[in-house]
């Protein structure tokens, strides 16, 4: 059976040595309780729960899946009990306001716990994960009454939440949605329509499910400007706050999927179900972005989770599996063959997984710091954090899910033929990971959002918000000879990033198709450069620790070696991306549609 061990050493490296979370928390109002001792204790307890309770259920969830009968979904063995333990431990309330029953700890600390639960068992982790998006949406846009009624129950974990966007005829293009909201005399609305691909839309783990639903009012304008947002509970709340009468919302079926079998993906039918408006009428999509942005960072975490999980399991296999001899002669002469970790190509697959997992962790934790600042800081600091977060979110979502899937495939490849066999868990990791590039906006949608909306429509201002950070880092370290192998290439790429953007923007002024043609290559280029920044910072942090003689020297030398690997083996991928993103749209658009096949 595959296993999971929380990478606490690397988590603490990122939090303490790399990003200095202690100082970060000390400068934010309301984070006084997030002391180093408190943070360490929470990580240790979260690791214990993830390793002992969730990880053993990972294959169970895949093999049993969810079952559907008479509109009810039953989750795999152990899932419900694990959720009850999760609630009893107070985990759902960790990073939410005490005003609504939360513990008031920073969002970034909740993100660390999310990594632990997600990596141990992604399918299970989606149930409470979706609730956080519903909580954030209600906290930002709900009325006081809605918060008292729904938010308190979501924060406690007694109820769970979903987001209901997609319909059978409209995937990402929400302007086409048809779900209707008819006003009732009591101020509520009758919601009618069908939503598909609703993760955790129906299950047996909580007493009630709070659906956050997009729908149209009768007089709504066409397109995205005519969408409103509603709360539609599975059970209507009673006067004392319990789950009462069943609402007219039902699960019509669950999908038979490639992966994440332990999480129910539902078709949800709303038949004049009672709903309540959240935020202003016809501004629902703006409100839903609170949920969607939370979900996009959560999906970026999925890329990290599957890279980490695959790496942790393929590494011991590579150290134990005997096959062939090292090209330089027997490395284990007392054995019939050498362990496959002696072979360069196996090492490349392992180091690629390690580089993407550890680099991805640094990127996501950095984004979580920005989330803290957007929520708790003010003035220029808040505005700068908001701009950077808007820029980095599509990069994190698109890039980390793409390289997370690559990493999951490398893990399977290390196992050879055994990786294709279910009992080892590698093929499950690949199947579970594949969805990450599709939901919450495909890689292609994220790429268009980054290049079109975030960069070109702001005349490059969002890009500059992050390239300035890289520039300052490179300038500060340029006199250090030990850092030149990292800062030299990084500074060149950082400058090139702006030049490429300008070239694409100029071409797009003549032909808007140039944006779509370049966008995916652009987001991947952006991801490689972004991770290079975090690996350069990791190398610097490791060098400082080694020079001071502090901590585990072998751990810090491993950081340096992995940083060099990333810069010499992974970062050169940017060269091909430059060629393709500048090759223009003609090679994609000139072939007539009727001539694709004869």
């Amino acid at each position: 059976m595959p296993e999971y061990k929380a990478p606490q050493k690397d988590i603490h490296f990122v939090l303490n040595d790399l990003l200095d979370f202690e100082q970060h928390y000390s400068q934010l109002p309301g984070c006084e309780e997030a002391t180093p001792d408190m943070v360490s204790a929470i990580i240790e307890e979260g690791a214990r729960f993830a390793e002992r309770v969730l990880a053993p259920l990972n294959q169970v969830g895949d093999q049993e899946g969810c079952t559907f009968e008479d509109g009810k979904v039953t989750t795999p063995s152990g899932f419900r009990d694990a959720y009850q333990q999760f609630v009893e431990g107070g985990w759902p309330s960790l990073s939410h306001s005490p005003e609504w029953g939360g513990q008031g700890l920073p969002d970034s600390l909740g993100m660390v716990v999310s990594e632990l639960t997600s990596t141990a068992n992604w399918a299970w982790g989606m149930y409470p994960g979706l609730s956080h998006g519903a909580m954030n949406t209600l906290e930002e846009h709900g009325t006081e009454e809605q918060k008292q009624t729904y938010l308190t129950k979501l924060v406690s974990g007694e109820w769970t939440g979903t987001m209901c966007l997609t319909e059978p005829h409209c995937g990402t293009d929400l302007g086409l949605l048809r779900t209707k909201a008819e006003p009732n005399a009591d101020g509520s609305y009758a919601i009618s329509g069908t939503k598909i691909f609703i993760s955790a839309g129906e299950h047996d783990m909580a007493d009630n499910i709070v659906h956050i639903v997009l729908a149209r009012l009768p007089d709504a304008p066409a397109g995205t400007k005519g969408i409103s947002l509603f709360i539609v509970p599975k059970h209507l709340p009673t006067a004392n706050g319990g789950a009462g009468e069943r609402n007219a919302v039902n699960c019509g079926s669950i999908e038979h999927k490639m992966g994440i079998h332990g999480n129910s993906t539902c078709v949800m039918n709303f038949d004049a179900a009672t709903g309540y408006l959240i935020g202003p009428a016809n501004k629902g999509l703006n409100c839903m972005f609170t949920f969607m942005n939370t979900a996009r960072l959560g999906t970026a975490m999925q890329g990290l989770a599957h890279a980490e999980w695959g790496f942790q399991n393929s590494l011991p296999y590579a150290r134990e599996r005997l096959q062939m001899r090292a090209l330089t002669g027997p490395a284990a002469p007392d054995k019939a063959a050498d362990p496959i970790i002696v072979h360069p190509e196996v090492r490349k697959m392992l180091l690629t997984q390690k580089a993407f997992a550890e680099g991805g962790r640094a990127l996501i934790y950095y984004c979580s710091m920005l989330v803290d600042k957007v929520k708790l800081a003010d003035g220029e600091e808040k505005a700068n954090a908001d701009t950077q977060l808007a820029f980095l979110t599509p990069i994190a979502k698109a890039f980390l899910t793409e390289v997370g899937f690559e990493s999951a495939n490398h893990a399977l490849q290390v196992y050879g033929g055994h990786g294709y066999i279910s009992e080892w868990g590698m093929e499950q990791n690949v199947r579970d990971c594949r969805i990450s590039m599709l939901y919450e906006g495909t890689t292609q949608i994220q790429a268009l959002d980054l290049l079109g909306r975030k960069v070109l429509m702001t005349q490059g201002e969002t890009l500059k918000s992050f390239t300035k950070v890289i520039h300052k880092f490179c300038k500060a370290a340029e006199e250090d000879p030990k850092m030149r192998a990292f800062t030299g290439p990084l500074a060149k790429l950082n400058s090139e990033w702006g030049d490429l953007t300008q070239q694409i923007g100029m071409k797009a002024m003549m032909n808007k198709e140039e944006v779509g043609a370049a966008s995916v290559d652009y987001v991947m280029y952006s991801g490689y450069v972004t991770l290079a920044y975090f690996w350069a910072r990791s190398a610097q942090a490791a060098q400082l620790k080694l020079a001071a003689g502090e901590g585990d020297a072998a751990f810090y030398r491993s950081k340096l070696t992995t940083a060099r690997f990333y810069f010499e083996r992974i970062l050169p991928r940017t060269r091909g991306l430059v060629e393709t993103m500048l090759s223009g749209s003609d090679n994609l658009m000139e072939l007539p549609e009727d001539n694709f096949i004869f």
Side-chain angles (χ1 to χ4, degrees):
M1 178 183 288
E3 297 180 349
Y4 171 66
K5 184 72 174 175
Q8 292 191 57
K9 197 159 197 170
D10 196 61
I11 288 172
H12 283 293
F13 169 79
V14 176
L15 293 177
N16 303 323
D17 299 340
L18 186 62
L19 299 178
D20 196 359
F21 264 70
E22 182 177 358
Q23 182 184 21
H24 168 66
Y25 289 150
S26 71
Q27 295 176 342
L28 288 175
C31 295
E32 296 81 10
E33 291 189 19
T35 62
D37 288 344
M38 171 71 82
V39 170
S40 294
I42 288 172
I43 292 171
E44 188 172 337
E45 282 301 314
R48 185 178 293 111
F49 179 76
E51 293 168 1
R52 297 181 183 180
V53 178
L54 297 182
L57 297 175
N58 191 36
Q59 279 194 307
V60 173
D62 183 62
Q63 291 163 3
E64 291 187 13
C66 293
T67 57
F68 177 76
E69 186 175 358
D70 297 329
K72 296 181 179 179
V73 171
T74 303
T75 52
S77 301
F79 270 45
R80 179 179 169 84
D81 289 343
Y83 185 73
Q84 295 309 310
Q85 292 182 53
F86 187 72
V87 173
E88 289 166 9
W91 294 108
S93 65
L94 184 73
S95 56
H96 293 280
S97 171
E99 185 178 1
W100 313 113
Q103 299 175 48
L105 291 165
D107 285 78
S108 54
L109 188 52
M111 188 70 80
V112 176
V113 173
S114 178
E115 183 199 336
L116 301 174
T117 57
S118 298
T119 310
N121 190 329
W122 182 263
W124 183 94
M126 288 179 67
Y127 291 101
L130 284 158
S131 296
H132 285 292
M135 292 182 226
N136 291 340
T137 302
L138 278 165
E139 189 165 7
E140 186 165 341
H141 303 291
T143 65
E144 291 301 306
E145 182 182 359
Q146 289 170 347
K147 292 174 184 178
Q148 289 290 350
T149 303
Y150 299 100
L151 184 55
T152 53
K153 294 290 188 179
L154 289 166
V155 167
S156 70
E158 295 173 73
W159 298 354
T160 62
T162 74
M163 55 191 294
C164 297
L165 286 70
T166 307
E167 300 180 6
H169 58 281
C170 69
T172 306
D173 190 356
L174 296 174
L176 299 175
L177 72 82
R178 298 171 186 158
T179 298
K180 296 180 180 179
E182 297 283 347
N184 292 324
D186 63 358
S188 66
Y189 294 82
I191 311 298
S192 300
T194 296
K195 300 288 185 178
I196 63 169
F197 302 153
I198 308 306
S199 299
E202 174 63 26
H203 57 78
D204 59 356
M205 289 166 60
D207 295 335
N208 202 1
I209 302 172
V210 181
H211 301 289
I212 307 297
V213 184
L214 288 177
R216 290 188 184 281
L217 295 168
D219 58 350
T224 56
K225 293 181 179 179
I227 300 174
S228 299
L229 190 62
F230 300 86
I231 303 168
V232 186
K234 174 181 175 180
H235 291 275
L236 296 171
T238 61
N240 62 4
E245 178 187 350
R246 181 64 190 259
N247 202 357
V249 51
N250 294 282
C251 178
S253 64
I254 58 174
E255 303 294 351
H256 301 279
K257 307 172 295 189
M258 178 179 181
I260 55 170
H261 295 155
N263 191 272
S264 55
T265 302
C266 304
V267 174
M268 300 302 299
N269 296 316
F270 299 83
D271 186 13
T274 301
Y276 306 93
L277 183 67
I278 308 176
N282 301 325
K283 298 293 183 182
L285 200 55
N286 294 339
C287 297
M288 182 59 97
F289 268 113
T290 302
F291 204 142
M292 291 169 68
N293 286 332
T294 301
R296 284 171 178 173
L297 281 180
T299 309
M301 180 70 78
Q302 187 173 2
L304 160 60
H306 291 293
E308 176 67 37
W309 196 90
F311 173 64
Q312 283 197 20
N313 286 279
S314 59
L315 176 60
Y317 185 86
R319 296 163 105 170
E320 296 166 5
R321 173 71 172 176
L322 303 180
Q323 193 157 319
M324 300 166 48
R325 290 293 187 187
L327 296 177
T328 53
D334 58 322
K335 298 179 179 178
D338 289 333
I340 61 174
I341 198 169
V342 304
H343 303 307
E345 279 300 314
V346 173
R347 283 176 166 258
K348 184 169 75 174
M349 289 188 287
L350 292 169
L351 282 165
T352 299
Q353 295 175 70
K354 178 178 172 66
F356 285 141
E358 295 178 8
R361 180 172 295 114
L363 169 56
I364 289 177
Y365 287 16
Y366 181 84
C367 287
S368 75
M369 293 178 76
L370 297 175
V371 171
D372 288 343
K373 291 178 180 179
V374 169
K375 190 172 183 178
L376 300 171
D378 51 33
E380 187 175 349
E381 184 179 23
K382 179 186 179 80
N384 289 340
D386 195 35
T387 301
Q388 265 196 67
L389 186 61
F391 173 73
L392 289 174
T393 295
I395 296 174
K397 196 283 180 185
F399 179 78
L400 291 184
T401 56
E402 290 284 342
V403 299
F405 184 63
E406 176 188 338
S407 298
N409 278 287
H410 285 317
L412 188 152
Q413 189 77 4
V414 168
Y415 276 76
H418 290 283
Y420 203 65
I421 306 302
S422 296
E423 67 187 88
W424 295 96
M426 294 302 104
E427 56 87 32
Q428 179 194 340
N429 196 42
V430 172
R431 287 186 288 104
D432 286 354
C433 189
R434 186 59 185 87
I435 186 63
S436 66
M437 292 168 279
L438 302 176
Y439 56 15
E440 309 314 329
T442 63
T443 297
Q444 290 72 20
I445 292 294
Q446 301 298 326
L448 281 172
D449 179 50
L450 174 69
L451 180 56
R453 261 184 92 236
K454 301 294 172 54
V455 175
L456 294 180
M457 285 181 66
T458 65
Q459 286 77 50
E461 289 304 310
T462 53
L463 171 65
K464 291 175 186 175
S465 74
F466 190 63
T467 55
K468 285 178 182 177
V469 172
I470 298 177
H471 176 73
K472 288 179 181 178
F473 168 76
C474 291
K475 287 292 289 183
E478 67 181 356
E479 299 302 322
D480 184 353
K482 293 181 180 179
M483 285 297 297
R484 285 174 189 160
F486 306 108
T487 55
L490 180 58
K492 288 180 181 178
L493 285 165
N494 196 44
S495 177
E496 182 183 57
W497 203 353
D499 293 341
L500 290 169
T501 303
Q502 188 173 25
Q503 290 183 60
I504 296 168
M506 293 296 289
K507 293 168 72 174
M509 292 176 69
M510 304 297 295
N511 180 4
K512 290 183 179 180
E513 298 286 10
E514 294 292 336
V515 178
S519 60
V520 170
D521 295 328
Y522 185 88
V523 79
M524 294 304 293
Y525 176 97
S526 301
Y528 287 120
V529 178
T530 300
L531 235 62
Y533 165 68
F534 289 107
W535 269 114
R537 283 190 62 176
S538 296
Q540 183 184 58
Q543 287 176 352
L544 291 171
K545 288 292 182 180
L546 288 169
E550 297 175 359
D552 186 342
F555 173 84
Y556 292 119
R557 284 196 294 269
S558 172
K559 280 289 175 189
L560 278 171
T561 301
T562 310
R564 283 196 292 270
F565 167 83
Y566 183 86
F567 269 76
E568 294 173 11
R569 283 277 180 171
I570 302 294
L571 196 55
R573 296 181 185 185
T574 55
R575 306 334 308 147
L577 291 169
V578 170
E579 293 293 324
T580 52
M581 81 172 80
L582 294 182
S583 68
S585 62
D586 287 351
N587 51 35
L588 300 177
M589 306 305 294
E590 66 183 355
L591 182 64
E593 181 181 335
D594 292 340
N595 291 357
F596 265 74
I597 191 169
F598 292 92

